Amino acid sequence: MSHIRVGLIGLSTTSTVTNWAAKAHLPYLQSAQGQKHYEIVALCNSSIDSARKSIQQYGLPASTKTYESAADLARDPDVDLVVNVTHVGKHYELLLPVVQAGKNVFTELPFASNVSQMRELLQTAEEKGVRTAFGIQGQTSPVTKLLRDVIASDKIGKVLSTTWTGAAMFLGEKPFFVGGKSFAERKTGGNMMTVNFLHSMNLVLATLGEIDTFHSILGNQRPTLQLMDPHQGGKIVETIQKDTPDQVLLQGRLASGALISYHLRGGDPFPGEPGLTWSIYGEKGEIHITGPSSMLDIAHDGVRIKLHTFGQDEAQTLEVPADDMSSLPHPAQNVGRIYEAYAKGGKGGGGDGYPDWKLGMRRHELIEEMWRRGDGERPFGEPVAGP
């Protein structure tokens, strides 16, 4: 089988945010396992010079082509798969020429800045027959597989309810780093809803099935945000007004009939307590999951999963199974599993395959409906009846 030739957009040497391409994508693509299926043949950065610097810094072959235009990259006949790892504000302008050219594409989340852009991208991709992948990782996480296997084995019986609480680790009482300013700006499209909620809720739904009905509350409880510059010793450089939520609550019923209660808040967890507490309560038992991060699909190091069968005094500790990706650093493991499923011809859309744009659109439409309700006349629900 011939290698899938990758053109990578956004491998920076100067990122002030996360440098997600270097941390989450490159470890797999440069691993022995990744090189069985993939070959990086081109880079597209903000300039040719920037792309050349990345080739040198990350030890890519000297033959790697360089581009400063996504449209030019998309026209390269030697590129089979375009991988986009850039700021969400650039997604639409970068991805549209790629799908118009009929190139297969893997993009990180959020999909784009708004649902209108997302729908145009998805429609164009479908019209061109483009094969897509999307950066939510719950479908390929070994945690999801373990939980689904336990549920399918009937060890807890029918799932009756699930309760999820998590801390986002930011948008709390502490100043936020200035490079993440867009998290406070809804118009940009990258915020606690379209990143943290999207990651965490997708894993819940990948495990337990889709939402049937729901109520939600989006609370901007800390509307003022201080921005600090880590390169100036944490100096406060700006104070802005925030129009994105730091409290996200959802309650409802899943298609299975199970009830769901979800609460994501800004800030750090209580000292000594986990950043995530999640229970799956069944007729015959309960699964209890804790971990340091609320985005369990990005990293599951430190996660603890326990199974309690009703009538027994002790709970059983469950180990997350290892595979060929387990030797990679987090957060490259689950990203690597998406690449693996894609290379092996897995079917997009979730399930036992990998997340694609259609699934990404479904998740973003849930978020859009939550925005719509939050913008309505009664964003916090019906008033209490009284005399």
Side-chain angles (χ1 to χ4, degrees):
M1 180 179 175
S2 59
H3 284 77
I4 298 170
R5 298 167 297 180
V6 172
L8 181 57
I9 307 176
L11 181 62
S12 173
T13 62
T14 59
S15 173
T16 58
V17 187
T18 63
N19 203 354
W20 196 247
K23 292 180 178 179
H25 288 256
L26 210 57
Y28 169 78
L29 291 170
Q30 291 187 317
S31 71
Q33 182 66 21
Q35 290 176 359
K36 291 179 182 179
H37 306 295
Y38 295 92
E39 176 187 5
I40 299 175
V41 299
L43 289 187
C44 179
N45 280 8
S46 57
S47 68
I48 296 294
D49 184 59
S50 171
R52 288 172 178 162
K53 288 179 180 178
S54 293
I55 289 171
Q56 183 176 10
Q57 176 161 324
Y58 297 110
L60 299 178
S63 60
T64 305
K65 298 179 183 180
T66 56
Y67 293 97
E68 59 185 2
S69 161
D72 290 342
L73 173 67
R75 285 191 288 266
D76 188 334
D78 295 325
V79 172
D80 303 313
L81 174 68
V82 172
V83 176
N84 173 51
V85 195
T86 60
H87 186 274
V88 62
K90 296 182 178 294
H91 282 197
Y92 175 75
E93 65 182 82
L94 293 173
L95 292 171
L96 188 58
V98 172
V99 291
Q100 286 175 333
K103 288 289 185 186
N104 295 335
V105 59
F106 177 0
T107 191
E108 274 295 344
L109 61 84
F111 193 171
S113 293
N114 57 66
V115 292
S116 294
Q117 293 178 353
M118 297 174 200
R119 287 169 182 151
E120 182 181 355
L121 289 169
L122 177 59
Q123 180 179 347
T124 305
E126 290 179 338
E127 289 173 351
K128 295 289 185 176
V130 168
R131 193 175 173 211
T132 62
F134 188 57
I136 46 177
Q137 301 155 34
Q139 282 66 28
T140 58
S141 170
V143 173
T144 304
K145 185 178 186 305
L146 173 62
L147 296 176
R148 288 171 61 180
D149 286 348
V150 171
I151 293 168
S153 71
D154 200 39
K155 291 180 180 178
I156 66 169
K158 180 183 178 181
V159 175
L160 302 178
S161 66
T162 187
T163 304
W164 188 104
T165 58
M169 310 292 187
F170 60 88
L171 298 186
E173 82 291 353
K174 297 178 182 177
F176 199 43
F177 69 107
V178 68
K181 181 178 180 179
S182 62
F183 268 78
E185 301 170 337
R186 179 172 164 183
K187 65 180 181 181
T188 307
N191 49 67
M192 202 169 88
M193 283 288 288
T194 59
V195 179
N196 303 67
F197 174 82
L198 180 55
H199 272 290
S200 56
M201 180 57 75
N202 176 65
L203 188 138
V204 171
L205 301 183
T207 302
L208 298 174
E210 299 298 321
I211 292 175
D212 183 27
T213 60
F214 75 94
H215 299 281
S216 60
I217 293 176
L218 307 181
N220 184 13
Q221 302 297 88
R222 296 180 183 270
T224 301
L225 181 66
Q226 290 184 318
L227 300 175
M228 64 84 181
D229 186 350
H231 300 294
Q232 298 184 52
K235 177 183 177 181
I236 304 300
V237 294
E238 190 175 2
T239 299
I240 62 173
Q241 293 301 303
K242 179 168 65 69
D243 66 357
T244 60
D246 47 67
Q247 301 274 345
V248 180
L249 296 90
L250 181 148
Q251 288 189 321
R253 186 178 65 182
L254 302 177
S256 67
L259 304 182
I260 179 170
S261 178
Y262 173 102
H263 181 196
L264 171 68
R265 65 159 175 82
D268 294 327
F270 193 85
E273 296 298 317
L276 164 69
T277 301
W278 178 21
S279 71
I280 303 172
Y281 180 77
E283 289 180 322
K284 300 191 296 185
E286 184 173 10
I287 307 170
H288 188 68
I289 306 106
T290 58
S293 170
S294 60
M295 293 190 287
L296 188 56
D297 64 330
I298 289 180
H300 57 265
D301 49 333
V303 69
R304 298 183 65 187
I305 303 175
K306 291 190 174 183
L307 168 65
H308 178 227
T309 301
F310 297 154
Q312 296 186 2
D313 294 333
E314 299 289 331
Q316 174 188 356
T317 298
L318 305 178
E319 298 295 333
V320 179
D323 61 13
D324 290 339
M325 299 296 103
S326 300
S327 62
L328 294 175
H330 289 294
Q333 290 188 18
N334 285 339
V335 173
R337 292 180 179 104
I338 295 176
Y339 277 113
E340 285 283 299
Y342 180 95
K344 294 174 181 177
K347 183 180 179 182
D352 293 325
Y354 59 89
D356 61 6
W357 284 12
K358 190 172 182 179
L359 178 63
M361 188 74 247
R362 183 173 189 173
R363 297 289 181 256
H364 276 289
E365 285 179 334
L366 169 63
I367 292 171
E368 184 67 11
E369 176 62 16
M370 293 170 71
W371 284 125
R372 188 191 68 78
R373 297 185 189 187
D375 291 337
E377 294 181 357
R378 293 176 174 172
F380 302 106
E382 298 293 326
V384 174

